[in-house]
Amino acid sequence: MAKRPPTIPDSELDVLRILWDRGQATVREVLDASKAAGRQWTYATVATLLDRLEQKGMVSSDRRELAFVYTPKIAAQDVRRKRVENLVDKLYQGEPGLLVLHLLQQHRLAPEHADQIRALLEQDDAESPGSDQG
């Protein structure tokens, strides 16, 4: 079984997003990108967030010249998966179908996404035991 990524707060997720977008960055580069996105963080705050992410094994650092360069060690998809699992567990009693129903009832889908969902449901129906296929 694959090791599950640790839970991270939104502030650390924001830092990871910057690293995913850039591939790697120094504290100063993350600070500049976060300020451009409207965050009012200080250099020390960004350094602390990067240090926490490194302690959790989600980023690595490499000392180049005068600054540490941070690189993400975890994929965005792994973090999304973990956060959705936590959401389903906490708000929908572990039932992912309840989350899907909520989303479908409360949010409009782009036509291509609706088509993809229909195709997945039809595929599940065709593959389920006792289906009329075959």
Side-chain angles (χ1 to χ4, degrees):
M1 180 184 205
K3 184 179 177 187
R4 298 175 78 186
T7 302
I8 60 170
D10 289 346
S11 56
E12 291 175 11
L13 181 60
D14 289 344
V15 170
L16 275 173
R17 281 188 186 124
I18 293 167
L19 292 177
W20 290 325
D21 288 345
R22 298 176 68 93
Q24 63 182 26
T26 63
V27 175
R28 175 65 57 196
E29 291 166 339
V30 172
L31 176 63
D32 292 344
S34 67
K35 284 186 177 183
R39 289 280 196 175
Q40 297 302 312
W41 287 337
T42 65
Y43 186 94
T45 298
V46 172
T48 298
L49 292 169
L50 284 163
D51 185 54
R52 287 181 189 162
L53 286 166
E54 188 170 26
Q55 288 174 10
K56 292 177 181 181
M58 300 178 101
V59 302
S60 62
S61 65
D62 181 27
R63 181 88 184 209
R64 295 187 188 163
E65 299 181 26
L66 297 176
F68 280 98
V69 177
Y70 292 87
T71 306
K73 290 176 62 178
I74 188 166
Q77 183 60 33
D78 292 335
V79 173
R80 280 200 253 348
R81 184 179 306 112
K82 173 67 174 169
R83 288 184 68 117
V84 169
E85 286 173 3
N86 286 341
L87 177 71
V88 168
D89 288 345
K90 289 179 182 180
L91 294 180
Y92 298 99
Q93 296 75 45
E95 292 289 338
L98 294 175
L99 172 60
V100 172
L101 285 172
H102 169 83
L103 292 171
L104 291 173
Q105 290 168 346
Q106 301 297 318
H107 302 276
R108 292 194 72 97
L109 293 177
E112 63 272 14
H113 294 152
D115 290 342
Q116 290 173 340
I117 290 168
R118 280 186 202 92
L120 281 172
L121 291 172
E122 289 170 7
Q123 180 182 346
D124 283 350
D125 283 345
E127 293 174 358
S128 63
S131 68
D132 293 328
Q133 306 294 323

